[in-house]
Amino acid sequence: MGWNRKILRVNLSAGTCTEEPLNMEWAQDYLGSRGLATKYLVSEIDPGVDPLSIDNKMIMATGPLTGTMASTGGRYTVVTKGPLTGAIACSNSGGFFGAEMKFAGWDMVIFEGRSPTPVYLFIENERAELRDAGHLWGKSCWETEDIIKRQHQDPQIRISSIGRAGENQVLYACVVNDLHRAAGRSGVGAVMGSKNLKAVAIRGTRGVAGIKDFPAFMQATQAAKKVLADNAVTGQGLPKYGTQVLMNVINEMGALPTRNHRDVQFEEAGRISAEAMHEKRASDGKPHLVTNAACFGCTIACGRISEIDKGHFTVKNNPKYWGASGGLEYEAAWALGAANGVGDLEALQYANLICNEQGMDPISFGATVGAAMELYEMGVLSEEQIGLEAPFGSVEALAKMVELTAQGEGFGKELALGSKRLCEKYGHPELSMSVKGQEFPAYDSRGIQGMGLAYATSNRGACHLRGYTVASEVLGIPVKTDPLVTEGKPALVKAFQDATAVFDSAGICVFTSFAWTLADVQPQLAAACEGDWSMEKLNEVGERIWNMERMFNNAAGFTSRDDTLPPRLTQEPAKTGPAKGLVNRLGEMLPEYYSLRGWTPDGEPSAETRTRLGL
Amino acid sequence: MWKSLHIDPARCTGCLQCEMACSYEHTGIMNPAKSRIKVFSFEHEGRKVPYTCTQCSEAWCLNACPVDAIRIDLGTGAKMVFEDTCVGCKVCTIACPFGTINYSQDSGKVQKCDLCAGDPACAKACPTGAITYIDADWTGYGRMQAWAAKANTPATTA
């Protein structure tokens, strides 16, 4: 079974919580989490809906492997129509919240309408009720978790919440659970804020009983864990260095976007790398990194727990930031650092802490700061407008901007709109390093060609987690491909996109795919879930999910013209490194990609493709 | 030879595989809420600490039980709760200085670590070696070895 077969529908306008059976036919076609929640969403909302209006819905969903002994089986997904992009938004998170939802007996929670006053949802096994959150409004994610646990006198409650950023509807606000894990991208936290929903607090003590064949499941999960342990990336690299292991690697490849993608290598990359996090600081003799940490059920444990330098100017008068806390991960270190030319590790951790505390996506925030700094250097934005001097590399500007944005003050209100709206407002739309309104993550597609196509076609806007061809083009997983050529990349991107949709929908972490292929996931799903879960079926489910998301975006107004990259990447050659002189050759890849997908030249799934996939 | 669960918190990542394994072993489902080993996370220090019964030689719980429902398994040394005898009075939960024996509302009895008949599920499930099951007389062996290595003495030259 794998599923609890039960969903909770919360009507925030009416203040009601209603139990419904899970649609098991859909579960067979869309698996769970990302796929199944998206199926519910696209069946229930008008694709043209304003994402921050009362008519949008937001779903928190687990997968069949969430809450089980499958390694990394702790993930949940937040699905909604995203305010940053206007496209499908689908952000998943680890930590412990997703497993707790499963233990309480639910597969997903659908939120609809808008509460007239701030509320939080409290779930204790079968019991679910909306409670007043007037006392929580204005509080950070960290304070919210603390207050709810104290109020219920139960330290074992798991909580997912929004901070000030979500309340203020920062367009890249995220939903934060377990203090520093986040459903990070596309502004899912702003949607939650628009619904006056401050938090979801869950205590589940029922466990996961619905495994189809327990002995087979234990055997399959055990074998798969061994694959992770024996793999150099998941068994050694990620536990020791975290995702930050990539900083120096990507910089050497000439694919580390620097200063709003003006450059592709950052001269100070070493200072903000994994290696730097292990080194003892000159100031206090302690390393930045305290330990690694796992999310629920994870046998990799890539998470970073660090302690900021208490003497750093950003925190020296603010002891609440002195304790061990989450960060830095590669994407955040890049977005807050290289993207702005800032090479001060402690300042990056400060900005990262604020992003965690108040619930903001550090990728989109950092990249938006990068755009603002470029506008400042061009003389388009003045010191008066921003509130201080803000050239590339300014540690002070980064620190000030993160505070202003998190609190919704001054120039922070403009940064809260994301780089696309900011750059459009000041007459330079070409300077927004984004696709479909969402900012790029930490890989420059001039040096990693396949990522250009992955970004351009990602259903939630620019994103590395929808088709991570970096695995193949840089790390050689599952086979090494040349990052500088476009040949073969359309098929590679499609394969990664479809497989990733299955990983996400199963309730496991996509980082397992450094070691696992679908063939490692398949026996785990087959033992957990009733029905046919062959490799063939899984490939089809992945492709179906991808096309379903695409059709929602098409219906929301997106066309092939939106499958594009900023001119900087397709017209301005990389200045240094192995990709020197190259641009991204998206035009060479896109038609072949459409053809492989069975889409029309306009980028719409053809009637034949829709029929084949049952869409 | 009896063995002991040996816990090295410095290796714990907080993944809770041990809690799931314990609950599966004893209840047949995966449910950390029913686990007899708990992992505590001290967030602001970055520390994770697994904690369970250490099987005291002179066990407070065993001595406190008014109906002799807690007895020693001579094969493993585990202090075992016999559910058919236990009346759920909870005196043992008061007597235990460490809190590692607890009442279960589902069964109306108390539960504690029973060392899984000599093959503890938590130790098998731990991916980092934070929980091991080793010779009860030599739980300090690994630490002694580590300190011995730090003695930095020259190799024998003779």
Side-chain angles (χ1 to χ4, degrees), chain A residues 69 205 207-208 225 294 297-298 324, chain B residues 13 15 17 20 24 30-31 44 46:
Chain A
M69 286 182 79
T205 61
V208 170
K225 282 175 204 167
C298 176
Chain B
T13 62
C15 73
Q17 285 282 346
M20 282 188 282
Y24 176 65
M30 290 167 286
N31 187 4
H44 303 295

Side-chain angles (χ1 to χ4, degrees), chain A residues 426-578:
Chain A
Y426 291 100
H428 288 276
E430 78 284 0
L431 293 183
S432 167
M433 294 298 116
S434 63
V435 176
K436 299 181 176 73
Q438 177 159 289
E439 289 74 13
F440 289 111
Y443 312 88
D444 195 297
S445 60
R446 287 167 288 195
I448 310 175
Q449 292 286 325
M451 285 309 289
L453 179 63
Y455 291 148
T457 59
S458 159
N459 286 328
R460 66 168 186 176
C463 169
H464 56 298
L465 296 172
R466 286 297 172 276
Y468 192 71
T469 62
V470 172
S472 169
E473 295 178 277
V474 179
L475 304 169
I477 301 166
V479 286
K480 184 78 175 78
T481 53
D482 184 344
L484 302 180
V485 307
T486 57
E487 201 182 355
K489 297 299 163 62
L492 189 72
V493 168
K494 177 182 181 295
F496 270 89
Q497 288 173 337
D498 291 350
T500 302
V502 176
F503 279 79
D504 287 346
S505 301
I508 55 175
C509 177
V510 73
F511 286 3
T512 55
S513 68
F514 286 118
W516 291 352
T517 66
L518 274 187
D520 296 289
V521 182
Q522 186 273 332
Q524 303 182 73
L525 281 173
C529 305
E530 64 195 5
D532 160 35
W533 294 102
S534 61
M535 285 296 290
E536 194 183 9
K537 165 92 180 278
L538 288 178
N539 283 315
E540 186 187 290
V541 165
E543 191 177 2
R544 181 180 295 121
I545 292 166
W546 190 266
N547 279 274
M548 165 176 65
E549 293 171 341
R550 177 74 180 192
M551 285 165 65
F552 176 86
N553 286 351
N554 287 150
F558 289 90
T559 68
S560 57
R561 284 192 302 282
D562 299 297
D563 295 341
T564 186
L565 298 171
R568 176 160 286 172
L569 299 176
T570 54
Q571 292 168 24
E572 292 179 27
K575 293 175 193 158
T576 60

Side-chain angles (χ1 to χ4, degrees), chain A residues 62-99:
Chain A
T62 66
L65 297 184
T66 308
T68 74
M69 286 182 79
S71 186
T72 77
R75 300 196 77 88
Y76 78 105
T77 305
V78 181
V79 177
T80 186
K81 182 175 175 180
L84 186 67
T85 57
I88 193 83
C90 171
S91 299
N92 80 48
S93 177
F96 299 85
F97 175 83

Side-chain angles (χ1 to χ4, degrees), chain B residues 41-74:
Chain B
S41 179
F42 300 93
E43 293 288 348
H44 303 295
E45 304 160 52
R47 291 193 302 132
K48 318 274 187 187
V49 185
Y51 207 80
T52 190
C53 173
T54 54
Q55 315 294 348
C56 307
S57 296
E58 291 187 33
W60 278 267
C61 61
L62 182 151
N63 289 326
C65 181
V67 295
D68 289 336
I70 303 174
R71 298 165 221 156
I72 302 174
D73 179 328
L74 292 175

